[in-house]
Amino acid sequence: MDTIKRTEIKNLFTGQAKEKVNQPVCVKGWVRTKRGNKAVAFIALNDGSTINNIQVVADVEKFGEDLLKRISTGASLRVNGTLVESMGKGQSVEIQASEIEIYGQADVSTYPLQKKGHTMEFLRDIAHLRPRTNTFGAVLRVRHNMAFAIHKYFNDHGFFYWHSPIITASDCEGAGEMFQVTTLDLDNLPKNEAGKTDYSKDFFGESTFMTVSGQLEGELGATSLGKIYTFGPTFRAENSNTPRHLAEFWHVEPEMAFYDINDNMDLAEDFIKYLVRYALENCKDDIDFLCKMYDNTLVERLNFVISHDFKRLTYTEAISILEESKHKFDVPVSWGIDLQSEHERYLVEHHFKCPVILTDYPKEIKSFYMKQNDDGKTVRGMDILFPQIGEIIGGSEREADFDKLLTRMKELNMNLEPYQWYLDTRRFGTVPHSGFGLGFERLLMFVTGMTNIRDVIPFPRYPKNAKF
RNA sequence: GCUUCCGUAGCUCAGUUGGUUAGAGCACAUGACUGUUAAUCAUGGGGUCCUAGGUUCAAGUCCUAGUGGGAGCGCCA
């Protein structure tokens, strides 16, 4: 009997599974619950391939109380038996067990997962075991599908997957604090004549950091291969303590030659809608579970996004709406301010009640590389704002004019020396081009309905926490 | 980093104005039940009330500090 080929549990619930009814099957997985009476035990088995459990029916007389007693929540099993149409309600098929092998028990007094009631905070403390829960199984399967869909979308649209470096010597766009990478002995640092640390003795011969963005290198790809995207981890050493920030997060950054700001917005909107649609079509069971257990408006919200145009307006128009709203904001609204969360939420959640794309921000509150408008005041940046999670995408048309870019960098007192390779893209054969950055975990928050970003990545990194 | 709330059984929580031996549900153990659906029912075991100090005749409850966690804000994706 033990030579039957194993079937993954998800394949017992597909259309073809009907052929397997009344046939011998073998499944392997972990016990979610066991219940029953003196005569029969019902074991809900899950192998991670699907949110759905297969019900294993075990006659007590056949297997004996001693064996069944060792089967508790968390135990791992091989079960051989016959796939049959279920006598009970709640499942179409089940396995009438003929042979059960226990791979490993899970001591009920020390195994932390129970078949009921855990908070996200508790599960975060046992992040090494939480993928075994229904919720994290669902979230992580969605995560995989979204990662796959990102590659599929870009590949199908003629983009090339571009590997920007993780370790970098440049402080890209000054976007926040960086983690330093060094092999120097921190207890015995080499000093130069000025008494400062001598980085010429460091591994790379200069000071290096974990990247905060692959954009600048991405622009090198766009101005050679045409359309590229990066998809990898980036790092921010900010002391950010919020449900929307991680110190290590996955960043999707497409960069396109010959795209202006409108092409950029069209791409971003189509891209997000594609991903949401992909999730609805390919992760139905998992999303239905999350909808049922955490947020019964989730499916509705996802459907809304794919069926409505994102509202596009300029920063200046947004300021007018906020000024005329008569809503009392903690931070007063006036042209030139950086929009606060409360302002963005008012626009998205109260005024428009749909995703919003804001463009043409004051140049003072945006990065140096954004294309300057003719008005001399604004730049062609764009932010896509979503309900709950705020900024999900930030991007812009890039300044393609060498003189304008250089002037702006000098205005900001930037050290030009590390950017010479970047400026070469404008020195030689410069072209109009655009790009944006999508926070992968923020997308996942939206798609799964999870309200804390730490719960959409297997091993979250945030201040004071690098466990597992 | 700032503000604010919270920390009581393995888990989720209740605990009145400071007052006898700190409670419930789930989990666990034992028993009942021939098909359960987070099974149900009965009985039972299970506590450093986050830590340290303080106020008081008396502290889970009030005060101070520390520590861990959540939320809001800032930084941003």
Side-chain angles (χ1 to χ4, degrees):
Chain A
M1 265 307 251
D2 60 354
T3 55
I4 305 173
K5 194 168 187 233
R6 174 195 168 214
T7 304
E8 289 189 33
I9 289 171
K10 70 173 176 185
N11 293 325
L12 299 176
F13 299 111
T14 61
Q16 290 112 13
K18 281 179 186 144
E19 298 168 12
K20 293 194 174 74
V21 172
N22 296 323
Q23 299 295 312
V25 291
C26 169
V27 293
K28 303 178 179 184
W30 294 268
V31 174
R32 283 293 158 75
T33 68
K34 187 185 72 175
R35 50 184 176 263
N37 54 43
K38 209 175 195 174
V40 61
F42 302 95
I43 301 161
L45 200 68
N46 186 285
D47 66 1
S49 63
T50 166
I51 186 90
N52 299 303
N53 304 323
I54 185 71
Q55 173 157 282
V56 173
V57 184
D59 291 328
V60 176
E61 196 180 344
K62 179 176 176 63
F63 293 100
E65 288 187 17
D66 286 348
L67 179 92
L68 292 174
K69 212 170 193 174
R70 293 163 57 207
I71 298 173
S72 57
T73 299
S76 49
L77 308 179
R78 170 178 65 82
V79 176
N80 287 13
T82 306
L83 189 71
V84 296
E85 288 179 18
S86 179
M87 288 163 61
K89 290 174 181 170
Q91 59 281 317
S92 55
V93 293
E94 63 191 15
I95 293 174
Q96 188 68 47
S98 57
E99 188 180 330
I100 296 177
E101 176 186 355
I102 299 176
Y103 285 127
Q105 291 179 241
D107 179 3
V108 292
S109 66
T110 51
Y111 186 61
L113 292 174
Q114 301 173 3
K115 55 187 176 185
K116 152 169 188 165
H118 293 302
T119 59
M120 291 297 118
E121 292 78 20
F122 173 71
L123 292 173
R124 237 169 264 153
D125 285 339
I126 51 165
H128 58 305
L129 294 172
R130 67 181 185 169
R132 296 190 185 189
T133 64
N134 288 332
T135 299
F136 282 88
V139 166
L140 294 171
R141 278 186 296 271
V142 173
R143 185 181 170 104
H144 158 78
N145 277 282
M146 289 294 89
F148 178 78
I150 284 165
H151 287 300
K152 179 166 170 52
Y153 179 91
F154 284 128
N155 184 66
D156 289 352
H157 287 76
F159 285 67
F160 298 104
Y161 184 22
W162 172 266
H163 294 103
S164 51
I166 302 290
I167 298 172
T168 174
S170 72
D171 177 1
C172 169
E173 61 186 286
E177 297 295 314
M178 303 175 85
F179 291 103
Q180 190 164 358
V181 177
T182 182
T183 54
L184 294 177
D185 179 357
L186 297 180
D187 294 319
N188 185 22
L189 292 170
K191 302 289 185 184
N192 59 22
E193 288 172 2
K196 299 279 182 76
T197 301
D198 182 3
Y199 285 107
S200 70
K201 300 281 200 309
D202 205 349
F203 186 89
F204 295 103
E206 59 183 320
S207 57
T208 50
F209 306 89
M210 306 291 277
T211 185
V212 293
S213 168
Q215 180 198 319
L216 299 191
E217 290 90 348
E219 290 187 42
L220 302 174
T223 53
S224 52
L225 302 180
K227 292 187 294 188
I228 62 91
Y229 69 105
T230 71
F231 184 17
T234 55
F235 308 87
R236 303 277 165 93
E238 298 288 343
N239 189 15
S240 295
N241 294 289
T242 84
R244 299 180 303 283
H245 291 85
L246 291 168
E248 175 182 301
F249 68 97
W250 284 68
H251 213 177
V252 183
E253 296 179 289
E255 196 73 34
M256 301 75 64
F258 314 113
Y259 271 48
D260 68 13
I261 185 73
N262 291 308
D263 299 326
N264 201 19
M265 284 191 281
D266 290 344
L267 175 73
E269 181 169 344
D270 186 59
F271 175 55
I272 290 198
K273 285 178 172 172
Y274 173 87
L275 295 176
V276 172
R277 201 178 303 117
Y278 189 94
L280 283 166
E281 288 170 2
N282 294 277
C283 310
K284 188 175 187 316
D285 289 350
D286 289 321
I287 286 176
D288 284 347
F289 172 83
L290 294 166
C291 189
K292 189 177 78 181
M293 298 301 285
Y294 292 99
D295 179 357
N296 54 23
T297 64
L298 176 61
V299 171
E300 192 183 318
R301 208 163 57 238
L302 297 179
N303 277 312
F304 182 90
V305 162
I306 60 176
S307 58
H308 289 77
D309 289 341
F310 295 3
K311 181 67 190 175
R312 301 183 185 188
L313 68 161
T314 65
Y315 168 90
T316 303
E317 289 166 334
I319 290 290
S320 298
I321 288 168
L322 292 169
E323 282 177 335
E324 289 160 18
S325 72
K326 291 177 182 161
H327 188 276
K328 261 202 168 177
F329 295 107
D330 292 338
V331 176
V333 176
S334 66
W335 199 95
I337 64 160
D338 205 351
L339 293 179
Q340 309 291 301
S341 291
E342 56 171 340
H343 305 135
E344 295 178 349
R345 295 186 70 143
Y346 179 87
L347 290 169
V348 173
E349 292 169 19
H350 294 277
H351 190 80
F352 291 113
K353 295 190 169 67
C354 80
V356 168
I357 311 183
L358 287 182
T359 57
D360 301 291
Y361 287 82
K363 65 178 178 184
E364 286 76 17
I365 61 174
K366 287 294 181 185
S367 299
F368 73 93
Y369 49 72
M370 293 191 183
K371 182 176 173 61
Q372 298 160 37
N373 282 318
D374 293 338
D375 62 12
K377 296 192 297 187
T378 58
V379 292
R380 286 189 197 168
M382 64 158 200
D383 285 355
I384 301 187
L385 309 177
F386 263 42
Q388 309 282 330
I389 53 182
E391 188 182 338
I392 193 170
I393 277 181
S396 70
E397 181 172 345
R398 316 306 189 191
E399 181 55 74
D401 185 283
F402 178 83
D403 293 327
K404 285 186 181 172
L405 181 60
L406 191 66
T407 303
R408 185 63 184 147
M409 292 173 80
K410 285 177 178 169
E411 276 172 13
L412 294 168
N413 290 318
M414 293 174 65
N415 177 15
L416 299 177
E417 196 277 323
Y419 293 95
Q420 291 308 313
W421 57 267
Y422 179 69
L423 288 165
D424 270 0
T425 57
R426 277 70 166 173
R427 274 192 192 99
F428 308 118
T430 188
V431 293
H433 63 290
S434 298
F436 62 83
L438 168 77
F440 184 52
E441 284 78 16
R442 290 196 180 168
L443 170 78
L444 286 171
M445 289 174 74
F446 181 73
V447 171
T448 63
M450 291 289 104
T451 53
N452 193 311
I453 201 167
R454 297 167 186 177
D455 300 327
V456 295
I457 186 169
F459 305 106
R461 296 287 178 259
Y462 49 96
K464 300 278 184 287
N465 195 308
K467 273 188 291 189
F468 311 110

